[in-house]
Amino acid sequence: MSLWSNLNFRKLLLSGLLLEVMRQFETLAIAVFVFQKTGNAFYVAMMLFIQRVPLIPFGLVFGVVADRFDRKNIFVAIFAVLAVEAAILGFLASQDNLEIWQVAIGVFINGVIWTTDFSVRRPMLAESVGNSRVGRAVGLDGALMISALAVGPVIGGGILQFTGMKGVYFFGTGAYVIGGLIALTVKYQRPIKSVVRPSFTSDFRLALGFARSRSVIVGIIAITVIVDMWATPIRSIIPVIGEDDLGLSPLLVGVLVSSQGVGSLIGAALIAFRGDPAKYGRIYFYGSFLYLIPALLFSLSNWFVLSLPLVFIGGLGLAAFSTTQGALILMATPPEMRSRMLGLLAVGIGIGPIGILNIGLMATLFGPSRAVMIVSIEGIVALAFAAVVWPMLRRGEDISPS
């Protein structure tokens, strides 16, 4: 049976895609809204900080919790929480009472929800296809998640420009209701019967001990930390550079940001349909460089016609990194440890808030463009160091668990 003929797989792909489109949709709209309200790039960066900071305390926690409860019930509850949150913020916006601190609370809730994707939906996705097709299935999932970068910002920028924040949040409410209905129809059975489990503390120790015993997992997470420390935060500054340095309208800012998503979509589709899972390690490693080098060149550009293709090329690197990231963890981990290792990966991604504070501070001190230049150089140097310490990924070695 092909992946596409698997109905549960398709439902999990579609519901995950909807969540990611809405995350990108709201991230762009909130970035423009906050910058228009404050005129300060640091506050824009802080929104991304608030979104990502839950990954550190909750990443591994949810990895352990998801192994103890029914993932489908958690997944449906996720959509219910997001729909209620968006409806409340939409009502406040419709009454002209929406404040930045209220937006920040919504961003934090979304960040907590995003953390659960690593330990709830993705393991369900892997279980729906079987071990032999995990790499291909998760690669395809990554490709579709990347497509959200192309669609979400354009929708977010357009709706913000023509309807304001109330339209952004009410659109989100409807989308989350639809996603919840899809999640309700997923057929899911826990793969392992309930047994007496060790304490949470013992589970944490077991997860950390397993990760330390697998150098390739440490390497994957280390590169994740580098990219999310120095590369990912750059995305929060692109709307600011678009509006402040390039003088673009909200819709064109969305087009600029979405060009990264278009590049990512093309790259992710190539990887998902043509890429060899045995080469995912190299794709992951060298894609990280392709993410950062165009960002460095983008920081030196003052023209929209040049900035647009540079952001697009960076999207190709983002695709190589993001599409293979979760797949590599699943391919390197036995089924009984996957939720916890994906939770640990979420913790690695959670280091991003430090990078967001870094780029926000650099933007305040030196301006948005120079801030992007500084963090790009820092990230390239860190990746060069990782190439020496964890060479198995750039060499394309077998990473399957023994």
Side-chain angles (χ1 to χ4, degrees):
M1 183 173 66
S2 69
L3 289 176
W4 287 114
S5 63
N6 185 323
L7 183 59
N8 265 353
F9 176 71
R10 296 202 308 269
K11 289 178 178 179
L12 289 166
L13 280 184
L14 180 59
S15 55
L17 176 61
L18 190 148
L19 281 174
E20 187 64 15
V21 167
M22 293 311 304
R23 188 169 72 86
Q24 299 300 333
F25 165 94
E26 292 181 3
T27 296
L28 184 282
I30 288 168
V32 174
F33 172 77
V34 170
F35 188 68
Q36 289 176 342
K37 281 276 191 179
T38 67
N40 192 322
F42 180 76
Y43 288 108
V44 176
M46 281 301 297
M47 289 297 116
L48 191 57
F49 173 88
I50 293 169
Q51 183 189 70
R52 286 176 170 267
V53 77
L55 289 165
I56 294 178
F58 295 120
L60 188 53
V61 170
F62 283 138
V64 173
V65 169
D67 278 341
R68 296 167 178 257
F69 298 96
D70 190 296
R71 290 190 177 95
K72 178 181 175 179
N73 292 338
I74 298 173
F75 195 42
V76 172
I78 284 169
F79 284 102
V81 170
L82 288 173
V84 171
E85 173 252 321
I88 291 172
L89 291 176
F91 174 77
L92 291 171
S94 70
Q95 302 299 309
D96 293 324
N97 290 326
L98 186 65
E99 302 291 340
I100 290 178
W101 67 267
Q102 296 163 340
V103 172
I105 292 175
V107 169
F108 179 80
I109 293 172
N110 285 359
V112 174
I113 295 299
W114 181 34
T115 304
T116 66
D117 189 65
F118 295 89
S119 51
V120 177
R121 188 187 66 87
R122 295 188 192 186
M124 289 172 68
L125 193 77
E127 291 161 11
S128 73
V129 300
N131 291 335
S132 63
R133 294 187 290 180
V134 163
R136 183 71 65 188
V138 178
L140 182 58
D141 178 61
L144 285 179
M145 296 308 104
I146 286 293
S147 71
L149 293 173
V151 178
V154 170
I155 298 174
I159 291 181
L160 176 64
Q161 181 169 333
F162 295 109
T163 68
M165 288 300 288
K166 64 179 180 296
V168 169
Y169 284 121
F170 285 142
F171 184 90
T173 302
Y176 293 133
V177 170
I178 292 171
L181 293 175
I182 295 172
L184 275 172
T185 65
V186 171
K187 294 181 180 179
Y188 176 74
Q189 183 176 4
R190 297 177 67 185
I192 302 174
K193 293 182 179 179
S194 298
V195 296
V196 177
R197 298 183 60 89
S199 66
F200 275 93
T201 302
S202 297
D203 256 352
F204 288 143
R205 289 174 180 169
L206 180 64
L208 293 173
F210 177 81
R212 285 196 299 265
S213 71
R214 297 277 288 144
S215 179
V216 66
I217 291 179
V218 177
I220 294 167
I221 293 174
I223 292 175
T224 291
V225 168
I226 292 169
V227 171
D228 282 281
M229 175 72 178
W230 285 291
T232 303
I234 293 172
R235 184 174 173 81
S236 68
I237 301 298
I238 293 177
V240 177
I241 293 176
E243 181 163 313
D244 199 35
D245 292 356
L246 302 178
L248 305 177
S249 69
L251 181 58
L252 285 180
V253 170
V255 171
L256 179 66
V257 176
S258 290
S259 68
Q260 185 183 73
V262 173
S264 299
L265 177 58
I266 293 172
L270 289 172
I271 294 168
F273 294 106
R274 306 286 294 178
D276 181 358
K279 297 179 181 178
Y280 275 8
R282 286 180 174 175
I283 294 172
Y284 177 71
F285 178 78
Y286 290 110
S288 302
F289 277 102
L290 189 60
Y291 194 0
L292 277 164
I293 292 173
L296 175 60
L297 299 176
F298 169 72
S299 71
L300 304 174
S301 169
N302 292 317
W303 300 287
F304 177 66
V305 293
L306 178 58
S307 299
L308 193 68
L310 286 172
V311 175
F312 170 85
I313 294 169
L316 296 174
L318 172 60
F321 169 79
S322 298
T323 303
T324 57
Q325 181 187 46
L328 285 170
I329 288 289
L330 289 169
M331 290 163 63
T333 308
E336 66 273 12
M337 293 297 296
R338 284 175 177 165
S339 285
R340 280 165 279 186
M341 289 304 98
L342 286 170
L344 199 57
L345 176 66
V347 174
I349 295 172
I351 204 70
I354 298 176
I356 294 165
L357 289 178
N358 178 43
I359 199 170
L361 179 61
M362 294 298 103
T364 301
L365 294 176
F366 306 112
S369 294
R370 189 158 294 183
V372 171
M373 179 180 66
I374 292 169
V375 300
S376 297
I377 293 172
E378 291 172 343
I380 291 168
V381 171
L383 282 175
F385 176 77
V388 176
V389 179
W390 296 283
M392 71 288 294
L393 292 171
R394 63 180 172 84
R395 290 175 182 168
E397 297 177 5
D398 180 26
I399 65 169
S400 59
S402 56

